[in-house]
């Protein structure tokens, strides 16, 4: 048995259904930490000890009264995560992890993109807030023969939340693409949702985005796999999603 450290917190999710997803992973002894305790324990060395690491967290935010406040990670957390990747130990990040640590630009560089809850600067350029759309049914298409996609059908159905977010296309190797139009008309404004206007894109503009929903990229001396899958129980139970998560954890632990 290998040790898998899972981090969550900062974003609501169906806890029993997510636990069932983790229980489906054969060969792993799972330790599940929630923020803010997760931040402290990672800083004390827990991430470096684990064979596998799964980010299903969205730390660094406080949402209240129609506003969002952000905080950076502790110096200990930053050092620990950086040291893990420098040592050749990789990780998998799922879904809303792409929005985590808004005040730590290196986090976006590690993951290969960034979801913005507010308009902001990404790689020196001003960008609008990102878009979201729940319960989108689409066909996922495998576009790369890779250990992470081993055993998957060429295409498979997914119903999940999708993002219109910043993706650093030049830095990633696409693994799976969504047959869905990643254009403004198909998404809602994240900033409007924070302000209390869910499912609203009035007055919001965003350039067409990247249709890649799973990718791999270097992170230090290791590999990181990002999976946009992961909004809720239907996705957790999707056998293809379970397969790609299991593959990704094996691949990144071995890298």
């Amino acid at each position: 048995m290998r040790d898998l450290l899972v981090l969550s917190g900062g974003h609501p999710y169906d806890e029993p259904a997510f636990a069932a997803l983790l229980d489906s992973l054969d060969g792993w002894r799972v330790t599940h930490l929630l923020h803010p305790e997760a931040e402290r324990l990672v800083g004390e060395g827990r991430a470096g000890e684990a064979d596998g690491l799964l980010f299903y967290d969205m730390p660094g935010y406080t949402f209240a009264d129609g506003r969002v406040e952000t905080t950076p990670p502790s110096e200990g957390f930053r050092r620990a995560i950086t040291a893990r990747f420098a040592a050749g130990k990789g990780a998998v990040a799922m879904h809303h992890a792409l929005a985590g640590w808004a005040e730590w630009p290196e986090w976006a560089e590690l993951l290969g993109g960034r979801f913005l809850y507010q308009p902001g600067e990404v790689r020196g350029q001003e960008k609008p807030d990102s878009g979201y759309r729940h319960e989108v049914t689409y066909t996922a298409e495998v576009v790369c023969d890779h250990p992470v996609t081993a055993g998957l059908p060429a295409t498979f159905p997914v119903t999940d939340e999708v993002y219109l977010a910043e993706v650093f296309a030049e830095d990633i190797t696409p693994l799976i693409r969504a047959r869905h139009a990643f254009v403004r008309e198909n998404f809602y404004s994240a900033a409007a949702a924070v302000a209390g206007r869910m499912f609203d894109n009035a007055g919001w503009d965003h350039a067409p985005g990247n249709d890649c929903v799973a990718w791999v990229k270097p992170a230090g001396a290791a590999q990181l796999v990002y999976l946009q899958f992961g909004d809720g129980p239907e996705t957790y139970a999707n056998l293809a999603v379970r397969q790609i998560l299991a593959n990704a954890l094996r691949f990144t632990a071995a890298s």
Side-chain angles (χ1 to χ4, degrees):
M1 294 285 284
R2 290 182 291 179
D3 290 312
L4 172 63
L5 181 65
V6 179
L7 307 185
S8 69
H11 192 289
Y13 61 91
D14 187 312
E15 296 180 15
F18 184 66
L21 170 63
L22 297 180
D23 287 343
S24 75
L25 298 169
D26 292 332
W28 293 99
R29 183 184 302 107
V30 178
T31 299
H32 188 176
L33 302 180
L34 277 66
H35 288 283
E37 181 186 34
E39 182 181 357
R40 176 179 63 82
L41 291 174
V42 166
E44 293 175 359
R46 296 296 291 274
E49 298 167 357
D51 300 304
L53 178 60
L54 173 60
F55 296 105
Y56 189 65
D57 54 348
M58 198 185 79
Y61 292 92
T62 301
F63 298 92
D65 302 321
R67 299 178 59 188
V68 57
E69 296 181 358
T70 58
T71 54
S74 67
E75 182 61 31
F77 183 91
R78 291 195 297 266
R79 284 198 305 265
I81 295 300
T82 302
R84 177 184 173 87
F85 289 124
K89 288 187 172 183
V92 178
M94 287 183 71
H95 201 54
H96 45 251
L98 196 69
W101 299 126
E103 292 193 30
W104 187 26
E106 290 83 359
W107 178 251
E109 296 298 329
L110 287 169
L111 266 64
R114 185 176 169 197
F115 184 98
L116 296 164
Y117 271 96
Q118 299 288 328
E121 185 177 292
V122 178
R123 289 186 161 184
Q125 296 185 341
E126 291 300 318
K127 297 292 183 179
D129 57 295
S130 296
Y132 68 96
R133 184 73 177 249
H134 295 113
E135 297 181 351
V136 173
T137 297
Y138 64 87
T139 297
E141 179 181 5
V142 174
V143 295
C144 183
D145 183 12
H146 190 277
V148 177
T149 57
L152 290 174
T155 62
F156 55 92
V158 177
T159 299
D160 199 15
E161 182 183 21
V162 288
Y163 295 151
L164 185 63
E166 303 304 314
V167 176
F168 306 152
E170 65 274 22
D171 295 344
I172 67 170
T173 298
L175 300 175
I176 298 175
R177 295 189 182 276
R179 292 179 181 172
H180 178 74
F182 283 73
V183 295
R184 173 204 171 275
E185 291 78 10
N186 289 337
F187 292 84
Y188 302 118
S189 160
V194 169
R197 304 191 313 276
M198 293 293 292
F199 317 123
D200 184 1
N201 62 12
W204 173 67
D205 193 22
H206 198 293
N210 198 308
D211 63 359
C212 186
V213 291
W215 65 71
V216 61
K217 66 175 294 294
Q223 295 288 310
L224 182 136
V225 174
Y226 174 72
L227 308 176
Q228 193 175 115
F229 314 116
D231 184 53
E234 185 169 355
T235 311
Y236 303 152
N238 186 307
L239 295 181
V241 172
R242 290 188 172 194
Q243 180 70 60
I244 191 172
L245 175 59
N247 289 350
L249 288 169
R250 282 194 296 269
F251 174 73
T252 56
S255 62

